Amino acid sequence: MARQGQKGIAEVQGTSLYYERTGTGEAVILISGLGGNANLWKRQVPPLSEHHEVIAFDNRGSARSDVPEGPYSIQTMAADTVQLLDALDIATAHVVGSSMGAMVAQEVAIQYPDKALTLTLLGAQCGGPHAFVPPAEETDALEQLATDEMDPEERAKAWLPHTFSEEFLEKNRKLATQYVKLSAQQPTTTAGLRAQWAALMAYDSWERLPLVAAPTLILHGSLDRLVPVENADVLCVRIPDSRVAIIEGAGHAIEYEAADAVDQLLLEFFAENRYYDNTGTERSTE
């Protein structure tokens, strides 16, 4: 029986994590970016859950999950993700991460290869000296938005020009307003944002990316201001079984801005790499 909007709290590494699970089938876990929450996957959950069990959750430090005292690390958040799957009695999943969540997803695939059926990285980078970074003025603005005390709605609105393309904001005002509402209704505290920001700034997976064994799909917007599109090729060169798809004209949050294209690519990728074939026989992993 399909799960319809089941919500709960899982105790993971001494931290309460809020999660939602919907649908049945091979599991897909969606890992949010800096300060994000499960609601921001609103444009993925319905189409994906028609074919899969979909789990979206709030990272430690975000929204409805606990905000333990820092420092945080991407490795800790990867362990959170895996232990959440364990708590939900899910042995393996298609692992999808956006932005900071894509760092967490990389770490899941590197440290816990048995957990990742596939890996999908949205607006991702490896961190460290091999990553392409935005101009200094963009980085400074991001750090300010991530670390200054701000009203949640003001912060969400201030993120918009960094997160989406100009064309999207001009032509999709209703969706942009909805994005602000989804962010501000379940705000992340400044303490949580600061701890997550420090974790992502300290991350560097470049040396270990060849350890990723899962088939990997790298999706990137051609107009991404936060994580320049060149980072997609860096990841593809380092991850053995990987490929890149560039979504032309889209900004950083492609899962929201270009949802139809992203959802189609995800479903096709999952179908290509499903664990069981049409006869119910376990596929070979050799």
Side-chain angles (χ1 to χ4, degrees):
M1 181 179 296
R3 296 184 179 88
Q4 297 299 324
Q6 184 186 57
K7 303 176 182 180
I9 298 291
E11 297 300 324
V12 171
Q13 300 194 104
T15 300
S16 296
L17 295 185
Y18 173 85
Y19 69 87
E20 299 177 358
R21 64 194 304 193
T22 308
T24 58
E26 284 187 340
V28 177
I29 190 160
L30 305 172
I31 311 173
S32 298
L34 177 72
N37 62 66
N39 298 345
L40 295 176
W41 295 101
K42 180 181 179 68
R43 306 193 72 193
Q44 277 65 59
V45 172
L48 296 187
S49 63
E50 291 181 9
H51 306 275
H52 296 273
E53 178 178 9
V54 181
I55 299 94
F57 68 104
D58 299 343
N59 289 309
R60 66 168 54 217
S62 285
R64 293 151 290 195
S65 290
D66 281 351
V67 187
E69 186 176 353
Y72 299 175
S73 70
I74 297 299
Q75 289 82 358
T76 298
M77 287 188 273
D80 286 344
T81 304
V82 168
Q83 291 188 33
L84 173 60
L85 289 173
D86 290 342
L88 299 179
D89 198 26
I90 296 171
T92 187
H94 298 282
V95 180
V96 180
S98 173
S99 195
M100 182 195 75
M103 291 179 168
V104 177
Q106 289 170 59
E107 202 61 29
V108 170
I110 291 168
Q111 289 198 56
Y112 311 95
D114 59 319
K115 285 293 184 183
L117 278 174
T118 63
L119 174 65
T120 303
L121 306 175
L122 308 173
Q125 60 166 302
C126 63
H130 294 92
F132 285 83
V133 297
E137 59 270 20
E138 186 82 8
T139 302
D140 291 344
L142 298 179
E143 183 170 11
Q144 183 176 2
L145 285 171
T147 59
D148 284 4
E149 289 284 357
M150 295 180 69
D151 173 80
E153 186 169 345
E154 290 179 2
R155 193 193 306 273
K157 287 180 179 178
W159 274 108
L160 291 179
H162 303 281
T163 305
F164 299 109
S165 68
E166 291 182 9
E167 182 177 3
F168 175 81
L169 293 176
E170 289 174 2
K171 295 183 177 180
N172 298 277
R173 294 182 185 277
K174 184 178 290 187
L175 281 174
T177 299
Q178 181 189 64
Y179 187 89
V180 170
K181 183 177 180 180
L182 293 171
S183 299
Q185 276 184 336
Q186 304 294 342
T188 295
T189 66
T190 303
L193 278 167
R194 288 171 177 168
Q196 290 183 2
W197 174 260
L200 76 87
M201 291 300 290
Y203 188 65
D204 184 354
S205 63
W206 191 82
E207 289 285 353
R208 297 173 299 119
L209 286 173
L211 298 175
V212 174
T216 300
L217 176 63
I218 302 161
L219 301 180
H220 220 103
S222 65
L223 300 181
D224 193 329
R225 292 178 58 185
L226 299 186
V227 181
V229 68
E230 291 85 356
N231 285 287
D233 287 334
V234 173
L235 292 166
C236 191
V237 166
R238 296 292 291 171
I239 298 174
D241 183 9
S242 65
R243 66 178 187 258
V244 172
I246 303 300
I247 299 180
E248 293 297 330
H252 183 61
I254 51 175
E255 67 275 14
Y256 194 86
E257 176 170 343
D260 290 345
V262 168
D263 294 346
Q264 181 177 346
L265 288 165
L266 289 175
L267 287 169
E268 290 172 353
F269 182 57
F270 300 157
E272 290 172 17
N273 295 283
R274 58 185 170 222
Y275 194 65
Y276 294 93
D277 65 21
N278 291 331
T279 67
T281 302
E282 186 175 318
R283 69 171 169 84
S284 172
T285 55
E286 295 180 357

